[in-house]
Amino acid sequence: MTVLDDRIAMAESDNTQSLDEWFERLERMPVPEGFKVEIVGGTVYMTPQRDTHWTIIFKMAMAVEARFGKDALVFSDVRIDFPGHENGLCPDVAVLRASAEKDEGNHWRYEDVRFVFEVISEGTAANDYGPKKTAYATAEVPLYVIADPYQGRCYVYTDPKDGDYVTRTRVDFGDDIDLTGTVADLTVPTGDFPRDRPLLHGAHSKPLA
């Protein structure tokens, strides 16, 4: 192991320890029921679950289960630490490889994440289009899908390279998300995906380059 490898390992260890401390504190806090809590770039975000949000998450998770079976490692709002400064992310839907195992700290490893679905939430849309996308690409998650009920469309990101995704495909609600040929190898109908009112600050819902 080189000196650089040692430094990277130490940084990751410090990052995990810091995130453990944060989540332990959050578990002791009176977080309202129905709120999603995650840490993005060292900042804690608490997002209320809207019915629109949950309906899309459920449909996505059901499509994954129908394709891979009930024993598939499919999680929603489960902490997985991703590369970058204090990224304790809780994807709306994360699918792990069948051989995935927890590490010594009882955490699922980002290296085992096959693909991620996120549904835009009011107030945190910029995270999904920005730092979370960067974290997933840096972790080389081969497929990242965003469903945006405010815009009424989805974005499919593939081919991670140098902390970003090379390919982005837009899919309007009403059309199928065709993921055949990707690691997901499934099709997700969006005809019954519910829409939501536009954000008060519409710029937050715009996909970032």
Side-chain angles (χ1 to χ4, degrees):
M1 181 176 287
T2 66
V3 173
L4 179 58
D5 291 333
D6 285 337
R7 290 177 178 175
I8 291 174
M10 289 176 63
E12 290 179 344
S13 177
D14 290 344
N15 208 35
T16 299
Q17 183 177 359
S18 179
L19 286 169
D20 285 344
E21 293 173 354
W22 266 112
F23 277 102
E24 286 175 5
R25 293 176 188 173
L26 290 168
E27 288 177 358
R28 294 194 295 267
M29 290 175 59
V31 177
E33 186 176 352
F35 274 68
K36 171 181 176 177
V37 180
E38 63 183 350
I39 301 173
V40 183
T43 300
V44 177
Y45 291 88
M46 296 186 185
T47 310
Q49 287 275 30
R50 298 172 64 88
D51 54 353
T52 301
H53 189 257
W54 169 243
T55 297
I56 297 175
I57 292 173
F58 182 75
K59 291 179 181 298
M60 286 183 166
M62 290 296 290
V64 172
E65 182 178 288
R67 171 64 181 82
F68 294 100
K70 294 183 178 180
D71 294 331
L73 292 178
V74 184
F75 300 116
S76 180
D77 293 347
V78 172
R79 172 190 166 188
I80 302 175
D81 297 346
F82 282 87
H85 174 64
E86 295 186 358
N87 283 323
L89 308 184
C90 302
D92 289 327
V93 179
V95 182
L96 277 61
R97 67 180 77 252
S99 60
E101 294 182 355
K102 292 184 177 181
D103 62 20
E104 295 178 354
N106 201 36
H107 302 125
W108 292 106
R109 302 166 64 250
Y110 72 80
E111 292 92 343
D112 290 322
V113 177
R114 298 187 66 195
F115 50 98
V116 172
F117 292 99
E118 295 280 14
V119 183
I120 295 301
S121 295
E122 189 170 13
T124 60
N127 284 340
D128 294 309
Y129 285 122
K132 291 176 70 172
K133 178 164 73 75
T134 298
Y136 295 144
T138 301
E140 297 186 348
V141 175
L143 173 65
Y144 173 38
V145 180
I146 289 177
D148 191 330
Y150 302 99
Q151 295 190 44
R153 63 183 61 127
C154 300
Y155 293 96
V156 179
Y157 296 93
T158 54
D159 305 319
K161 183 179 180 180
D162 298 330
D164 201 357
Y165 285 95
V166 175
T167 305
R168 187 190 79 177
T169 304
R170 168 179 159 177
V171 180
D172 292 332
F173 280 18
D175 297 330
D176 291 348
I177 306 175
D178 184 2
L179 301 176
T180 56
T182 72
V183 292
D185 192 28
L186 57 81
T187 299
V188 182
T190 69
D192 56 355
F193 277 15
R195 294 174 178 252
D196 214 332
R197 297 190 309 273
L199 292 170
L200 295 178
H201 304 288
H204 291 175
S205 188
K206 293 179 181 178
L208 304 179

